[in-house]
Amino acid sequence: RQSDRLVAKRSMAQQLRVAAARQPARRTARFVAGSLRGVASSSAPLEPRSELFEADPTLADRPQISSPLASLRMAKTEPSVFAEFSELSEKYHAVNLGQGYPDFAMPEFVKEAAIEAIRGDYNQYSRPAGHTRLVRTLAARYAPKFGRSLNAGEEVAVVGGATNAIFSAVVALVDPEDEVVCVEPFFDAPKIAADLMGAKTIGVPLRADWAETSADWKLDLDELHKALSPRTKLLVLNTPHNPTGKVFSKTELEGIADVVKQYPGLVVLSDEVYEAMVYDDLEHVHVASLPGMFERTLTVFSAGKTFSATGWRVGYVLGPKALISPLVRVHQASNFSTPTPLQVATAIALERCDELDYFATFKTQLQAKRDKLCRLLRVAGLAPIVPQGGYFLLADTTKVGASTQFPLWEAPEDIPLRERRDFAVCRLLTERAGVTAIPASAFFSQGHRHITDSLARFCFCKEDDTLDEAFHRIIHSGLGASWV
């Protein structure tokens, strides 16, 4: 018996050697080389994936990702501009007005809500669509805003932040070769998700001849109509808008809705995370509240933005069961559920915020910070476009002398994104002034990036001392005093 087993082992070993010899040599060499590169040195340059670029020539123009074993779709995604400039900000110990997070404390009543939830032993998984207390609180809160009753168990979903909501929606609803149309400038989350799904992203830009306030940015409905087709699965909107601060009026949203209704299979993904941050006595209008729009709209919100707790990663989505159900399936497969104590804490905070008049106080606080940053930037030589919502603003950087290959507004559209003037200006601000902003062209698709070559995004949800320090650094650097 031992002899038989020995013969069998030798036979198996011989078969494996023969099979290995039949494999193409390049595949074996590629696998071994990839393995040895990781063993020899993590900093060694990776060999180009020539086969990948032969399969999809458009990838040759994109930055290569770090792993030679990554999927083709992952290779199509752009590196994060936010991560890039956050790293640069840390390197130069800059005041970071680029990334959108408050540096002031969250409200005390929200902290107490979190403590109460933890002490209440809410520490186990919740249902994937959200803890019962939170979804019921949300349904009751938004029903009057949407002008309809909401089924807490079927028309509300709690997810791991607004980015997770957007990703889950795209994965749940978009197939390869579908189209996703984004009103731009836009946050990059829907494009990354669309790239990973093998879908095509099309940008329709807001335009302004010379903007003084965010209301000057306008969407051309004819241009929107031309961008849509029977292949368009999603239209991504954002109001209040990042990065312009535009608050779409009811009339503007009704015009968009009229266009959308001409495409039976089109779903609107409405990012409304800045709903509580609307200034100058303007009113936020929910897209889903318009006639005939709830049935075809997923509306995204963020407890992190609402309560200045972006690290909590609690987002939620409202919409019809036919759209919420597949979104929850994706969320269940990736996160399963959102942290239970933070869900319960969010419910408690929402239940108490009205009696504390929290939203009126928060709005007044942020409007004062908006006005302060606008005033400081003007004195420093950077002209702000006054936002009417959110906590970002765009500022004109024409007076900042940056060394670039092309004069201002003369750069061709097809130059690499990171060679555009606004990238050079934002790098210069970080390295010389010690103040970080985000280049606005990163929010546009190719073909429209020239629109913001002279603009940079600044965040004003910061302590007054932080804003003052940024102002002093720009003044002392002299960058705002020299014309291009």
Side-chain angles (χ1 to χ4, degrees):
R1 291 179 182 175
Q2 291 179 348
S3 177
D4 290 343
R5 282 197 293 269
L6 182 60
V7 170
K9 286 183 178 180
R10 289 175 176 171
S11 177
M12 179 63 71
Q14 184 177 6
Q15 292 178 35
L16 290 173
R17 285 195 296 272
V18 171
R22 290 175 177 171
Q23 294 296 321
R26 64 177 182 83
R27 173 180 290 184
T28 304
R30 181 181 176 186
F31 178 80
V32 172
S35 301
L36 291 178
R37 279 197 299 271
V39 173
S41 171
S42 59
S43 62
L46 297 173
E47 295 179 6
R49 292 182 63 182
S50 58
E51 296 154 335
L52 180 151
F53 294 139
E54 289 168 6
D56 187 350
T58 64
L59 301 186
D61 297 328
R62 294 181 178 270
Q64 290 188 54
I65 55 177
S66 59
S67 172
L69 302 179
S71 69
L72 295 178
R73 290 177 181 173
M74 178 57 72
K76 288 183 65 176
T77 61
E78 292 278 2
S80 168
V81 66
F82 308 106
E84 176 182 343
F85 276 88
S86 290
E87 290 176 8
L88 194 66
S89 184
E90 288 186 13
K91 178 180 178 180
Y92 287 92
H93 306 287
V95 176
N96 192 344
L97 299 187
Q99 204 164 1
Y101 60 86
D103 67 350
F104 47 79
M106 65 190 299
E108 287 298 323
F109 79 94
V110 183
K111 295 180 185 178
E112 292 300 324
I115 293 170
E116 183 178 332
I118 292 172
R119 286 178 175 165
D121 288 329
Y122 292 101
N123 298 312
Q124 309 309 321
Y125 298 127
S126 69
R127 56 191 285 271
H131 190 276
T132 301
R133 181 171 181 177
L134 180 54
V135 296
R136 287 177 176 172
T137 298
L138 293 170
R141 183 171 191 83
Y142 284 93
K145 296 182 178 185
F146 280 26
R148 56 172 291 129
S149 63
L150 290 171
N151 185 318
E154 297 180 343
E155 296 177 334
V156 182
V158 180
V159 294
T163 300
N164 181 245
I166 293 169
F167 182 85
S168 297
V170 174
V171 173
L173 301 176
V174 172
D175 288 315
E177 309 303 327
D178 281 344
E179 295 174 351
V180 176
V181 172
C182 298
V183 175
E184 57 184 5
F186 63 90
F187 180 53
D188 62 1
K191 184 183 186 307
I192 293 172
D195 284 347
L196 292 174
M197 292 305 296
K200 179 181 180 181
T201 306
I202 299 172
V204 181
L206 296 173
R207 299 183 186 274
D209 291 333
W210 189 263
E212 294 184 354
T213 76
S214 58
D216 294 325
W217 292 96
K218 301 293 184 182
L219 178 66
D220 186 327
L221 294 182
D222 290 335
E223 195 170 2
L224 174 62
H225 206 322
K226 291 177 182 177
L228 299 174
S229 76
R231 301 191 71 90
T232 310
K233 184 64 71 71
L234 280 180
L235 170 63
V236 181
L237 296 175
N238 176 209
T239 182
H241 186 262
N242 169 22
T244 67
K246 178 179 177 62
V247 177
F248 282 83
S249 69
K250 185 176 182 180
T251 300
E252 288 176 312
L253 292 176
E254 287 173 339
I256 294 171
D258 288 341
V259 174
V260 168
K261 292 173 186 176
Q262 298 178 43
Y263 298 86
L266 180 58
V267 173
V268 175
L269 181 58
S270 185
D271 178 354
E272 301 181 17
V273 298
Y274 304 105
E275 58 164 341
M277 309 166 205
V278 178
Y279 316 122
D280 306 323
D281 298 320
L282 294 179
E283 176 189 6
H284 173 66
V285 178
H286 297 286
V287 175
S289 70
L290 301 177
M293 290 304 293
F294 178 82
E295 293 75 16
R296 60 195 308 156
T297 302
L298 284 171
T299 310
V300 177
F301 302 97
S302 167
K305 293 292 193 294
T306 298
F307 293 123
S308 302
T310 57
W312 278 25
R313 311 310 298 146
V314 177
Y316 46 96
V317 189
L318 306 182
K321 178 182 178 181
L323 300 178
I324 290 291
S325 179
L327 182 150
V328 171
R329 290 279 297 277
V330 174
H331 171 63
Q332 180 177 348
S334 57
N335 288 23
F336 187 74
S337 65
T338 304
T340 302
L342 298 182
Q343 289 193 66
V344 175
T346 299
I348 295 171
L350 287 171
E351 292 161 4
R352 295 175 181 170
C353 62
D354 290 337
E355 64 186 68
L356 298 172
D357 202 24
Y358 166 70
F359 288 111
T361 303
F362 185 45
K363 184 185 300 186
T364 300
Q365 175 190 14
L366 281 179
Q367 184 167 329
K369 291 183 180 298
R370 175 203 70 173
D371 294 343
K372 180 182 181 70
L373 183 57
C374 285
R375 184 171 62 253
L376 295 178
L377 289 176
R378 286 192 192 98
V379 175
L382 304 174
I385 300 172
V386 181
Q388 295 177 318
Y391 49 48
F392 300 105
L393 63 80
L394 294 177
D396 184 83
T397 63
T398 303
K399 290 186 178 181
V400 177
S403 177
T404 56
Q405 183 179 356
F406 300 95
L408 180 59
W409 298 310
E410 294 183 18
E413 184 62 31
D414 60 353
I415 65 172
L417 175 62
R418 281 159 176 77
E419 293 181 16
R420 301 203 72 85
R421 178 186 179 275
D422 57 341
F423 271 80
V425 167
C426 288
R427 282 192 289 266
L428 192 63
L429 282 170
T430 300
E431 295 169 5
R432 274 190 46 189
V435 177
T436 300
I438 297 294
S441 64
F443 294 85
F444 284 88
S445 59
Q446 187 166 333
H448 303 135
R449 289 170 175 165
H450 63 279
I451 293 174
T452 54
D453 272 347
S454 66
L455 299 179
R457 188 190 81 167
F458 293 83
C459 178
F460 55 85
C461 60
K462 306 292 181 181
E463 293 277 14
D464 286 353
D465 288 346
T466 303
L467 300 178
D468 288 334
E469 178 63 20
F471 166 70
H472 292 140
R473 291 187 180 199
I474 295 174
I475 288 290
H476 292 154
S477 73
L479 288 178
S482 58
W483 286 87
V484 173

